[in-house]
Amino acid sequence: MKNLLLKSKTLLNVLFILMVTLTGSVTLLTACSEDDDTTQNLSNTWMKSASDEVELEIGVRTPVNLLFKDAVAEKLEYTCTSSDAAVATAALSKGNKTVTIEGLAEGTADIKIAYASSALDNLTATITVTVSKPSGDYEAEYADNGRWMKAAVEKAEVNIDEETPVALTFSDDEMKALEYECKSFDEAVAIATGFSMDADNNKIVNVKGVKVGTTKVKIQYWKPLEGGGRRIIRCLSDTIEVSVKDRLAGATMTLAKEEMKLKPSEEMQIPMIFGTEETIIASDYICTPSDEAIATAEVKEVEGKLFLAVKAKVDGETTIKVEYNRNGRKNAALSGDIKIKVVNGLTRVLTIGNSFSQDTVEQYLYELAEAAGQDLVIGSMVIGGCDLDKHWTNMQNDNADYFYRKIDRRVDNGEKKETKDYKLSQALVDEKWDYISLQQVSGKSGLYETYTNLPNLIAGVKKVRPDANIVLHQTWAYASNSTHSDFKNYNQNQNAMYTAIVETVNKAKSDNLEITMIVPSGTAIQNGRTSYLGDTFNRPDGTMYYHLETTYGRYTAACTWFGALLGDVRHNTYQPETVNDNQAKIARQSAYAAIQEPDKVTDMSRYDPPISFESPVYVDFGSGKSSSPWNNVTISAATVPVTLVDANGNNTGLKLTVSNDFENYEGHGGKNEATIEEIVFPTAVWNDGLLVKEENAKGTVTISHLDPAASYNFMIQVARYNSNNMEARKSLISLNGGDVRTVQQAVSTTAPNRPTVDNTTTFIGITPTEEGLVVIEIGAGGTLFEGRINSLVITPILND
């Protein structure tokens, strides 16, 4: 049987050969890339087919030679397409020497071979293929006996870079044993990688996706022909329509961190966050550091999740490229990079707390470390008013209830970075923390029975960060005049609250051996209160006075943390612009003393600066509260000095204490303010005060931190409303043990119905003791033995 008829243009072929032969030398053309902004000139070369027409029968393949003018044309890339792939297909041989054409069905199709980058006529050839049905029944040998091979499915889906097995079925084992071939109609879309046997001894054909699209894969048996050649047998041939999809289309990967600091020899796992549920495995990634001497990395799977495992080596910086590269196919959306800084002497601290931890570490601690040449990373997990029980609940339920604030100036360019809706589980793995701090909410800090969940929290932290040092933060007592509802837990007494906090935190440490350190912020603040700054370390918060004052208050706490973590703070050069030299010295010394003796108060008055002020100081005694510019003093100030402000609201540094001989005196009417010697006394000032009773009873009011070289006027007012008994209502007053003055207390209910100059006495030009003290003594006079003081005005005598 005639299997093939080639109609060749012999003369043209001869001319082609002569042209190539007569060309004494081949002109090499320089191929330039588009990046070179040049155009390749291929007009002087050509590619031709040895035959323009081919006739063949169904099931027969034939090669057709390609002819080239020169090496330039031969080495170009060509494409080969069929106008009707159902009739005939073709494929180029490696090296472009031949094109192999296969007949599939009766009909005509054009096979076009063309230069891949440009449809140049001189580099394009077309072969017209006519396919006919062969004479005779070429598959009867098999078909008549009902013998066949079929694919189990007509259509198959496969993913890019993945193989999908398609089962083959056979009429009998003899047909299974035959040698089959498989081929893809478009190997740019999918390829048939060959045959194999599955676990059940079924024969399968493996199809692998290359790019998104559709093509067909043909499985066929070729019967050898007498005299050479072979023919496809149709009943042992089948075609599968293959659809290639990209299962990672739209998938993304983000590294949980863009930059990371590590110490030399440290290792850290950085979570890889995927925007897909498709399976991606560790071996899909290649990690390449810009400087592998600094750090290296690899992608690892831990409990079903992928992490970038970074290993630091020596000081320096490197960028690690984390590249998705499956079977050589890259995906930018699934790739990323991370900057690694390896720093010797790095310290990382995480606080898990509330606004009190925010007060201590978020403002000035990093700057103190920076001034000392220390590299510090600070993380702060904050929920306002959060106690230990709530922290434990959040850890158990993985609640995203926190504000996470992080300070790492080399990474964030000096800015504190805040992330809302954060979880403890996220914060614990964000850095390889050296210290992790826990604390109770301030109102419960001195109540040990509220610490029951502290061991659970410690265990939860240690599970994630077994090498971290557990720190317990000792918070501070409220200001003496605080109206916070939790102050009642300590009988509204600052000393009682401070003592309870110290004892409770110490007991918590002794009962939990995993705690390696206490940061004694409470003791540092209490130390500072013994200085000229007095009980001013809290900001008002209305009238609750429990958060730290934002300048020297917070600075004192930051100095304490520095001292606990990094060393002696006394000579640190950093102080905020809002804190003057005297305040900064008190803050640093208070912190240092707290680190040295965390369980007791150290007197800081020896660091007090000389006191000078120019405006009057107004003091209102008694339980009633007066507005600015009056300082309010009650008997609760018996053990804690009140630091006085002047008429302009400026801190004078003066301290006032009262003896415990007094009791509060509340007024019984009188609603008119009084003006005496041009000083306005509101009703709330003169209508109540402090009172001593019984014959010979005396109470003292002590003013300290006055300038021994200066002189002052002291105007003292006593008043008892609703009394016409002038002789019975008198106070005995003396200053620094000098002459005793008798001052009328009674304020008549008749006109003028308010205190007058008779209810005041002014001591002119008083010089304090060498210790800067003025002691006012109040005794009972008259027949009722009641001594009172309602208000005090201190006026410095200024020298011109």
Side-chain angles (χ1 to χ4, degrees), residues 231-267:
R231 183 187 305 282
I232 188 171
I233 304 302
R234 289 301 170 192
C235 61
L236 297 177
S237 175
D238 202 1
T239 302
I240 307 167
E241 186 174 321
V242 177
S243 175
V244 180
K245 301 183 180 300
D246 185 358
R247 68 180 179 87
L248 299 179
T252 59
M253 186 281 293
T254 304
L255 292 169
K257 298 180 70 63
E258 295 180 357
E259 300 189 26
M260 169 64 70
K261 284 184 180 180
L262 292 172
K263 300 176 184 178
S265 301
E266 272 191 340
E267 296 184 21

Side-chain angles (χ1 to χ4, degrees), residues 176-194:
K176 181 193 294 189
L178 296 175
E179 294 292 331
Y180 292 86
E181 289 186 0
C182 57
K183 60 171 293 185
S184 170
F185 286 14
D186 188 348
E187 293 190 346
V189 174
I191 59 174
T193 60

Side-chain angles (χ1 to χ4, degrees), residues 10 61 292 342 387 391 407 453 555 569 619 643 688 713 787:
T10 306
R61 287 181 179 175
E292 63 181 12
V342 183
D387 62 8
H391 286 309
I407 308 173
N453 276 316
Y555 181 62
V569 74
V619 182
T643 302
D688 62 2
N713 296 336

Side-chain angles (χ1 to χ4, degrees), residues 31-40:
C32 301
S33 70
E34 291 179 0
D35 293 338
D36 296 331
D37 293 327
T38 61
T39 303
Q40 189 177 33

